Amino acid sequence: IFDVTDSVHRMESLDYVKREIDAALAQETTEAEAYNHGLNLNPSLENQHIVFYVPMEVDDPEFSYLNYVHAYQGSPLDKPEHLLTLYEDGFLFIYSWERQSIKKEQIISTLKEILMLDPQAPIGISNTHYYLGELRESIREAMYSAKISRERVLKGSPLPPRAWKVLRNPKNIFVV
């Protein structure tokens, strides 16, 4: 009974996150509304941010959201001002900061390690945005770049078999 209750709360939480992201992505959403949706997702998000989107095979019977959450907890990326969540067919990671320099390559490497991805696996990355109200644009950029990266890989870039398992599923095509 305890595990079922925990699962229900987790699913409610993921459903809430999905609704907030969907609302932030809606065409009619203003920057002020997108800013508020960002704070609803995580009140500690800073204005400066980059969004990463990692396609995953979430329908695979071996996929375990909890395993990824446990790997994320305590990692160098697990900070109050960041957010890692399941969205659509992959993980959405919002990296935000106020007064620091960032090293994208290090973030990508750590994110791939946490999500147990091949080093060659594609990942969508947004431009750097300086206002949380631009969350709609940054999420779209990350999802679109993930789609383009995936298409490039499928057109012939050599990848190890584990990465192909994630990429060969036609359900993982993202439309922005």
Side-chain angles (χ1 to χ4, degrees):
I1 294 177
F2 180 75
D3 287 340
V4 172
T5 304
D6 266 351
S7 293
V8 169
H9 289 296
R10 258 192 323 280
M11 292 307 289
E12 287 174 348
S13 176
L14 286 174
D15 187 50
Y16 174 78
V17 168
K18 182 183 181 331
R19 283 193 313 265
E20 285 297 324
I21 294 171
D22 287 345
L25 289 173
Q27 197 66 344
E28 65 277 357
T29 300
T30 65
E31 279 192 355
E33 292 168 334
Y35 178 88
N36 288 331
H37 290 300
L39 291 181
N40 288 342
L41 288 167
N42 178 354
S44 297
L45 287 176
E46 299 288 346
N47 274 312
Q48 295 180 86
H49 67 281
I50 296 177
V51 176
F52 300 82
Y53 190 75
V54 183
M56 301 289 286
E57 198 169 321
V58 297
D59 293 331
D60 186 322
E62 294 180 22
F63 180 86
S64 171
Y65 173 70
L66 281 181
N67 286 345
Y68 296 111
V69 168
H70 291 304
Y72 176 73
Q73 292 172 336
S75 77
L77 298 179
D78 184 16
K79 306 270 191 227
E81 64 272 14
H82 308 322
L83 173 72
L84 177 71
T85 188
L86 197 59
Y87 181 70
E88 298 295 333
D89 290 326
F91 278 96
L92 187 74
F93 179 63
I94 302 173
Y95 184 94
S96 73
W97 69 96
E98 187 175 354
R99 292 184 198 111
Q100 66 190 35
S101 61
I102 65 160
K103 296 178 177 94
K104 280 187 194 177
E105 294 77 21
Q106 186 175 3
I107 297 168
I108 293 166
S109 173
T110 305
L111 194 56
K112 286 184 175 185
E113 184 180 313
I114 290 166
L115 298 177
M116 297 168 250
L117 296 175
D118 223 67
Q120 307 302 319
I123 190 168
I125 306 167
S126 75
N127 290 312
T128 300
H129 289 265
Y130 298 96
Y131 175 56
L132 193 56
E134 297 171 356
L135 189 60
R136 176 178 61 192
E137 289 77 18
S138 57
I139 292 172
R140 286 181 176 178
E141 289 169 2
M143 291 183 77
Y144 183 73
S145 66
K147 176 186 175 200
I148 297 301
S149 295
R150 180 184 178 276
E151 287 174 358
R152 282 188 163 170
V153 167
L154 291 176
K155 286 183 180 176
S157 297
L159 276 183
R162 181 165 170 13
W164 278 111
K165 182 180 179 195
V166 172
L167 298 173
R168 71 173 173 243
N169 187 344
K171 291 183 288 185
N172 288 338
I173 295 174
F174 303 101
V175 178
V176 179

